[in-house]
Amino acid sequence: MSALDPDDPRPPYQQVAAALRAAILTRTIAPGDKLPTQKELGERYGVARMTVQQALRILKDDGLVTSRQGSGMYARERTERPVGLRPHLELAFEAEDVRIDVVGYTAETLHGAIAEPLDKIRTGRLAPKSIHIRLLMSDMTKPLALPAAVSGDDVDNAGTRQRMADIGHRHINAVRDSVLELADLELVPTVTVEARSFGSAPVFKAYVINGTLVFFGFYPVVTHDVRVNGEKVTIYDPMGKDAVLFHYTDDGDPESIESTFVVQVRQWFDSVWNSVATEVAP
């Protein structure tokens, strides 16, 4: 990276963005590396801080960099690449106030992902003051497009939904019991775990972590055989473990595409939660 070309007709902020983009794509700045500060970039390219901010906004909108609150700007892989959810969920429990909203299918992924941080709380290695979890699941008591028997048979469809309802109920209760236990043991002063369902087929999954991170992905529909009422049935099933998750961060910039997406997911979740969703009893 070097000073700007005075003969380049592009505005300075576009030149800075182009130079940084080239450095990231050629891995001169490797994925995960911290970028120089805005002050350092301004001095390097001989431009004002506002020019640097405009350039960084372009890179954020391109999905090439992400910001971490209080830490700075980092290069990352393009958002089309899979991103690991578990490390971010585990990191979330280092905050004093933990808030996790999930919309999905069965809560199985969440159940597995929070096991380690809950163990750390039990052994005193983590000590959040509050944990609030909201689970928004598809209502398997209603006819839905997915999951469904390939045959289209009504009895098989009902049995398929009941099977997934049982699986979901098991994982929801497991999350509820393991988190509420922390309050019973007086390890976390304030704990809530709420679950609601709504009548939409599970076509995507989303996690909102501490209000600033969103992981979002579509469920690919697969065909496989399951046991329904003791009989083998071929079903169309949204397969959560095959979902590619996209990672977005709200860094407080109202003009950032990432921040806007996080805000919209939060608003969508709240709108469904407070309107058509109904409580899932233990």
Side-chain angles (χ1 to χ4, degrees):
M1 294 184 288
S2 58
L4 301 184
D5 181 358
D7 296 325
D8 192 324
R10 294 175 298 177
Y13 74 92
Q14 290 185 1
Q15 293 186 55
V16 174
L20 291 172
R21 181 185 293 108
I24 292 170
L25 293 178
T26 60
R27 296 186 177 245
T28 302
I29 300 177
D33 281 358
K34 185 176 181 179
L35 270 65
T37 66
Q38 293 182 14
K39 181 174 182 289
E40 291 169 339
L41 289 172
E43 292 174 351
R44 178 172 300 178
Y45 293 111
V47 297
R49 185 168 182 174
M50 182 172 293
T51 300
V52 173
Q53 291 174 344
Q54 288 177 294
L56 292 174
R57 184 173 296 129
I58 291 174
L59 297 180
K60 285 170 63 180
D61 290 346
D62 287 346
L64 289 172
V65 300
T66 185
S67 57
R68 302 177 189 173
Q69 289 184 327
S71 180
M73 194 76 71
Y74 291 78
R76 69 170 188 179
E77 299 283 0
R78 297 294 297 271
T79 54
E80 290 82 4
R81 296 180 64 85
V83 180
L85 171 68
R86 185 181 296 265
H88 291 270
L89 273 174
E90 293 175 355
L91 185 63
F93 282 83
E94 296 182 8
E96 284 193 354
D97 300 305
V98 181
R99 292 185 175 274
I100 300 172
D101 291 339
V102 180
V103 56
Y105 195 6
T106 64
E108 181 177 2
T109 299
L110 179 69
H111 179 204
I114 65 174
E116 184 169 342
L118 296 189
D119 282 341
K120 289 182 179 180
I121 294 172
R122 295 187 189 98
T123 57
R125 287 178 288 168
L126 292 176
K129 293 182 179 178
S130 68
I131 299 174
H132 301 283
I133 296 177
R134 295 189 297 176
L135 305 173
L136 185 58
M137 303 288 118
S138 296
D139 187 351
M140 294 294 151
T141 67
K142 299 178 179 179
L144 302 174
L146 294 167
V150 172
S151 67
D153 180 79
D154 289 343
V155 173
D156 286 346
N157 278 334
T160 297
R161 292 195 305 273
Q162 184 59 53
R163 172 182 177 274
M164 296 312 303
D166 293 341
I167 293 173
H169 203 68
R170 183 165 66 249
H171 287 293
I172 289 171
N173 282 337
V175 170
R176 182 184 280 125
D177 292 344
S178 59
V179 176
L180 292 179
E181 179 191 37
L182 301 176
D184 296 337
L185 295 173
E186 299 183 349
L187 296 174
V188 182
T190 304
V191 172
T192 61
V193 180
E194 301 175 87
R196 297 184 183 181
S197 64
F198 69 119
S200 176
V203 294
F204 68 88
K205 64 194 308 184
Y207 299 79
V208 183
I209 303 173
N210 288 346
T212 59
L213 298 179
V214 163
F215 284 80
F216 178 93
F218 291 101
Y219 285 117
V221 179
V222 301
T223 303
H224 66 117
D225 295 334
V226 299
R227 288 283 174 181
V228 175
N229 299 323
E231 300 292 332
K232 187 170 72 172
V233 175
T234 304
I235 70 170
Y236 294 120
D237 192 16
M239 190 59 68
K241 67 181 180 65
D242 293 332
V244 175
L245 295 178
F246 301 85
H247 174 206
Y248 302 86
T249 303
D250 180 4
D251 63 355
D253 181 355
E255 297 185 28
S256 163
I257 291 177
E258 284 201 43
S259 294
T260 301
F261 186 81
V262 173
V263 170
Q264 289 299 310
V265 173
R266 291 202 310 256
Q267 291 178 350
W268 178 89
F269 188 101
D270 286 338
S271 69
V272 176
W273 183 270
N274 294 319
S275 59
V276 296
T278 57
E279 183 179 358
V280 176

